[in-house]
Amino acid sequence: MMIVCLFFLASPAWCEPAHEDNLTLSPSPVDANDLIKISKLIAACKGESVKQKHPLISEFTILHSVQSKAKKCMYEQTMPNGGLMKCELGADNQKELSASFKKASAGKDNTYLQTLMEKGICTISGYEGL
């Protein structure tokens, strides 16, 4: 089994197991318009979703979803090979994550999602041993 480290918003975010028989790495540029849509999705937090082509795995489409629950914005992002990232965002984190996608759309380095994971605000499930 191979381990693939994914880079999100130009910063290392996580590593995940990749099954060599169903994964083709084919880097493609991230569409700035997609990142702006995701930024707006998170800012509004109205139970909507946005699809984004995965920047490294051409066969995979990321689904970014949000919903409001108990005064928090619940953000989810699908990941290759059955993974799922979930974030429970308070107002400040929601604003900052939205801003981070907007900054990334302009090509600026960003590590905010990594920060949220390190703080335990975002978690990843679906991978054994991680």
Side-chain angles (χ1 to χ4, degrees):
M1 182 185 299
M2 163 174 72
I3 298 290
V4 174
C5 293
L6 299 180
F7 295 86
F8 184 77
L9 303 180
S11 67
W14 55 82
C15 295
E16 64 184 59
H19 304 283
E20 294 178 18
D21 59 342
N22 66 359
L23 178 67
T24 305
L25 294 180
S26 54
S28 61
V30 174
D31 185 340
N33 291 324
D34 285 345
L35 297 176
I36 291 169
K37 287 178 191 174
I38 297 164
S39 172
K40 290 178 180 179
L41 174 85
I42 294 168
C45 196
K46 292 184 180 177
E48 298 174 329
S49 300
V50 170
K51 291 182 179 179
Q52 175 194 17
K53 183 179 176 182
H54 195 285
L56 295 176
I57 304 168
S58 61
E59 299 93 358
F60 187 76
T61 299
I62 302 166
L63 182 63
H64 301 266
S65 304
V66 295
Q67 66 177 346
S68 184
K69 184 177 177 183
K71 298 185 180 183
K72 299 234 178 188
C73 183
M74 311 304 283
Y75 168 72
E76 292 186 358
Q77 180 187 116
T78 58
M79 298 171 62
N81 294 321
L84 181 65
M85 179 173 39
K86 292 183 178 184
C87 305
E88 189 173 318
L89 306 170
D92 289 344
N93 296 130
Q94 178 185 354
K95 183 178 177 181
E96 287 297 320
L97 185 58
S98 175
S100 74
F101 277 97
K102 189 172 182 181
K103 289 175 189 174
S105 74
K108 296 183 179 172
D109 243 4
N110 197 307
T111 59
Y112 192 67
L113 195 54
Q114 177 70 30
T115 300
L116 291 177
M117 290 181 4
E118 290 170 359
K119 290 180 176 180
I121 294 167
C122 295
T123 59
I124 295 175
S125 63
Y127 302 118
E128 236 179 89
L130 290 180

